[in-house]
């Protein structure tokens, strides 16, 4: 019994973090959904025997217009009205302890069928290396893998982590013009950085980081994703 | 005055220090070839610097070609990785799914680490780690104590035999990555005797027995017929061999040694007083006179030769 409630509270925290992550990225999620309480979670997902079925935790979300603006590339002569490079996201929780090629393939097929653009796969243990090789082969569909233990705590809510905001392509262009910079001259952040993974950043994007400063109150810095 | 062979109408006049080429008087006034000085000509003035844009374009083209070359190489590696991934996927379902065609699962071109990945995937899928076996692995049949009781490596297989077979295949795989091997060369993997019949019967080759492309150098080496002529050639016995008479012959001819006659038997011999049994030892000079030393040592050699010649004449 105690073990089950432990399991339930773990999954509650993981679900909360995942929803907050989607909300921070810009998807349409309500506040109550993101800050669901333990009692509500238990009521909704824990069945009579006390176990939580991870398949029931899966959810999907659509992007807000602001988010779509951030993901629309700049209009070019050959492409005057570009489509946003973002779509519905589907979050799935794996019920198997170890993840192999077959599970990820099944997930990829699901994303393909329902025409989702991005998929987040929350696994209990790290998938096998050969399974990870599938990810680049299903582009432009984006698949992200997270481990459950990484999502127990929302790192962006930590006091030492400043606020990261993604810049739209126009803002990025304006920034580079204002400081007369080339992309490579900006400070960099890696794609596998925990905050970069939290926001689902891709190469070439620029994040604005606002941190507290003793002298000026706030200080804005920029990082180019590489 | 020597006649210049290349240009008979010009004469080479040697002046002690220089040699001029002058038009020959015998030709008359018919052809007046201008005098060409033999001194080195002045260096030509530097050509105007090429257009910097052209230079830059040249550099860009060169860099582009280089970058393209590297990109192709990386793409090639990625293609190989994908192929190995497909092979692992195909072998993952084996043998329960429909027999894999020889085309798909022809050769397992992966590294030993790729075989480990395949075993891992099969275990996750609750199958024995060995690709051709359909039993359950011991971690399923024994439960959670499998690792403790049989060891980590063996827990993924159904029996010790399967473990051995898998190890055998793993040992035969090449350690060199697929993209670095010679074009079209894959190692032939011979399966355990239990399975080779099964596989041959099915006509589906999972781990690469038939239709294996051998590298051209291996094929050439294995099919080359070594005949006796070639071996004889190597030994140097045939007339075709390289300089037979000088290197080796069948006939052994004794070397005619110079016969030594003691001094007493020769009367009035012009024998050098410093000679030891006919050998004239060379005088060692000090190192102070560099040039003088060379000149003198040359003279010594001449002396030796002449002295040696005299000796031989006397003795012969």
């Amino acid at each position: 019994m105690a073990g089950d409630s432990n399991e339930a509270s773990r999954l509650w925290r993981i679900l909360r973090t995942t929803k907050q992550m989607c909300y921070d990225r810009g998807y349409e999620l309500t506040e109550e959904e993101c800050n669901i309480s333990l009692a509500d979670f238990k009521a909704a997902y824990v069945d009579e025997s006390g176990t939580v079925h991870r398949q029931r935790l899966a959810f999907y979300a659509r992007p807000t217009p602001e988010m779509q603006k951030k993901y629309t590339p700049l209009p070019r002569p050959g492409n005057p009205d570009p489509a946003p490079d973002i779509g519905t996201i589907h979050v799935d929780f794996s019920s198997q302890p170890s993840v192999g090629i077959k599970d990820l393939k099944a997930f990829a097929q699901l994303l393909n069928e329902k025409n989702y653009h991005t998929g987040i796969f929350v696994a209990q243990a790290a998938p096998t290396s050969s399974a990870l090789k599938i990810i680049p082969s299903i582009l432009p569909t984006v698949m992200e893998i997270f481990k459950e233990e990484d999502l127990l705590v929302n790192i962006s809510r930590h006091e030492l982590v400043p606020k990261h905001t993604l810049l739209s392509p126009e803002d990025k262009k304006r920034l580079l013009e204002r400081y007369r910079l080339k992309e490579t001259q900006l400070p960099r952040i890696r794609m596998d950085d925990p905050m970069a993974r939290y926001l689902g950043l891709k190469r070439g994007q620029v994040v604005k980081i606002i941190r507290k400063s003793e002298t000026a109150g706030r200080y804005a810095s920029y990082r180019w994703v590489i | 005055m020597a006649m210049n062979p290349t240009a008979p109408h010009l004469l080479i006049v040697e002046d002690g220090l220089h040699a001029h080429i002058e038009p020959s008087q015998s030709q008359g006034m018919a052809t007046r070839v201008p005098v060409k000085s033999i001194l080195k000509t002045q260096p030509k003035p530097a050509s105007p610097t090429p257009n910097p844009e052209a230079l830059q374009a040249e550099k860009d083209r060169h860099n582009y070609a280089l970058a393209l070359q590297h990109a192709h190489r990386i793409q090639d590696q990625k293609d190989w990785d994908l192929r190995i991934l497909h092979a692992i996927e195909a072998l993952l379902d084996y043998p329960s799914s429909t027999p894999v065609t020889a085309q798909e699962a022809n050769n397992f071109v992966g590294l030993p680490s790729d075989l480990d990945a395949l075993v891992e995937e099969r275990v996750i899928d609750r199958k024995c780690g060995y690709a051709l076996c359909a039993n359950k692995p011991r971690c399923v049949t024994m439960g959670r104590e499998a690792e403790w009781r049989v060891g980590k490596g063996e827990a993924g297989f159904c029996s010790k035999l399967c473990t051995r077979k898998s190890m055998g295949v793993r040992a035969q795989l090449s350690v060199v990555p697929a993209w670095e091997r010679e074009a079209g060369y894959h190692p032939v993997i011979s399966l355990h005797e239990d399975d080779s019949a099964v596989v041959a019967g099915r006509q589906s080759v999972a781990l690469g027995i038939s239709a294996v492309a051998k590298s051209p150098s291996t094929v050439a080496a294995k099919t080359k017929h070594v005949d006796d002529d070639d071996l004889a050639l190597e030994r140097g016995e045939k007339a075709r061999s390289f300089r037979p008479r000088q290197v080796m012959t069948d006939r052994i001819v004794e070397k005619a040694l110079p016969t030594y006659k003691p001094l007493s038997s020769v009367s009035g011999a012009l024998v050098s007083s410093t000679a030891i049994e006919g050998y004239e030892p060379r005088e060692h000079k000090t190192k102070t006179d560099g040039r003088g030393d060379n000149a003198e040592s040359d003279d010594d050699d001449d002396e030796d030769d002449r002295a040696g010649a005299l000796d031989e004449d006397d003795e012969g």
Side-chain angles (χ1 to χ4, degrees), chain B residues 73 76-77 80 176-183:
Chain B
R73 205 187 312 156
D76 193 37
Q77 287 180 16
W80 272 112
V176 176
W179 56 84
E180 280 180 31
R181 298 182 197 158
E182 278 180 36

Side-chain angles (χ1 to χ4, degrees), chain A residues 4-19:
Chain A
D4 285 339
S5 70
N6 202 358
E7 177 85 1
S9 66
R10 262 180 73 112
L11 285 172
W12 164 62
R13 284 163 73 184
I14 291 164
L15 186 67
R16 258 176 73 128
T17 311
T18 318
K19 295 221 164 164

Side-chain angles (χ1 to χ4, degrees), chain B:
Chain B
M1 292 198 284
M3 289 298 284
N4 189 346
T6 55
H9 54 277
L10 300 170
L11 294 171
I12 298 174
V13 175
E14 282 184 324
D15 199 12
L17 290 175
H18 309 293
H20 311 296
I21 300 178
E22 281 180 354
S24 159
Q25 298 297 325
S26 58
Q27 284 286 331
M29 308 289 276
T31 49
R32 274 272 177 212
V33 182
V35 176
K36 194 176 145 196
S37 159
I38 59 154
L39 297 170
K40 281 187 188 158
T41 53
Q42 290 289 320
K44 277 189 249 181
S47 54
T49 51
N51 199 359
E53 287 169 12
L55 264 178
Q56 187 61 31
E58 182 65 41
K59 229 187 278 185
D60 283 342
R61 246 176 288 136
H62 177 71
N63 288 344
Y64 180 72
L66 207 64
L68 212 61
Q69 201 182 354
H70 282 280
H72 281 314
R73 205 187 312 156
I74 295 172
Q75 187 60 40
D76 193 37
Q77 287 180 16
K78 285 192 179 169
D79 289 337
W80 272 112
D81 273 337
L82 207 64
R83 249 176 275 185
I84 291 172
L85 188 65
H86 286 317
I88 290 178
E89 281 175 34
L91 288 170
L92 186 54
D93 297 324
Y94 207 85
S96 48
S97 71
T98 55
V100 183
T101 61
Q103 206 63 4
E104 286 170 22
N106 196 1
N107 307 302
F108 193 68
V109 295
L111 304 168
S113 51
D114 293 327
L115 192 75
D116 292 338
L118 171 66
V119 168
E120 204 186 339
E121 291 289 337
R122 281 185 68 96
V123 167
I124 290 174
D125 202 29
R126 303 170 75 82
K127 285 202 193 99
C128 174
Y130 187 55
L132 300 174
C133 175
N135 302 333
K136 295 268 179 212
R138 268 186 277 206
C139 46
V140 171
T141 49
M142 273 198 209
R144 294 187 67 176
E145 332 93 46
E147 270 193 31
W148 298 93
R149 288 171 72 178
V150 287
K152 193 159 188 229
E154 298 207 25
F157 299 95
C158 64
S159 59
K160 209 164 188 177
L161 186 61
C162 268
T163 323
R164 290 266 171 79
K165 288 186 198 172
S166 182
M167 291 291 151
V169 172
R170 190 175 190 277
Q172 289 178 59
L173 289 174
S174 163
V175 191
V176 176
W179 56 84
E180 280 180 31
R181 298 182 197 158
E182 278 180 36
Y185 170 68
H186 306 298
V188 184
I189 301 164
S190 52
L191 297 179
H192 199 93
E193 55 241 9
D194 303 345
D195 301 322
S196 38
V198 169
V199 173
R202 262 186 207 229
Q203 280 198 351
S204 67
V205 185
L207 293 169
I209 301 177
S210 64
V212 170
K214 291 205 176 86
S215 80
S217 52
T218 327
V219 171
K222 290 196 176 177
T223 56
K224 185 178 164 186
H225 175 61
V226 183
D227 48 302
D228 296 331
D229 282 349
D230 289 335
L231 289 171
L233 203 76
E234 276 187 40
R235 283 197 294 267
E237 285 172 359
K238 288 290 179 81
R240 286 196 303 275
S241 67
F242 184 61
R243 291 198 295 183
R245 279 192 205 108
Q246 289 167 34
V247 174
M248 253 176 157
T249 50
D250 325 71
R251 293 180 6 251
I252 297 169
V253 175
E254 290 288 340
K255 183 175 159 187
L257 292 167
T259 51
Y260 169 67
K261 289 202 187 103
L263 221 62
S264 51
S265 69
V266 175
S267 53
L270 289 166
V271 175
S272 149
S273 57
T274 50
I276 307 167
E277 290 187 290
Y279 169 66
E280 189 74 41
R282 203 175 291 188
E283 269 185 65
H284 292 289
K285 286 278 182 194
T286 55
K287 284 187 188 170
T288 48
D289 296 326
R291 256 177 54 187
D293 191 26
N294 286 342
E296 274 166 318
S297 65
D298 282 345
D299 292 344
D300 269 348
D301 281 343
D302 290 319
E303 262 178 22
D304 284 347
D305 284 345
R306 272 187 270 119
L310 275 173
D311 279 348
E312 270 179 34
D313 283 344
D314 260 345
E315 285 162 7

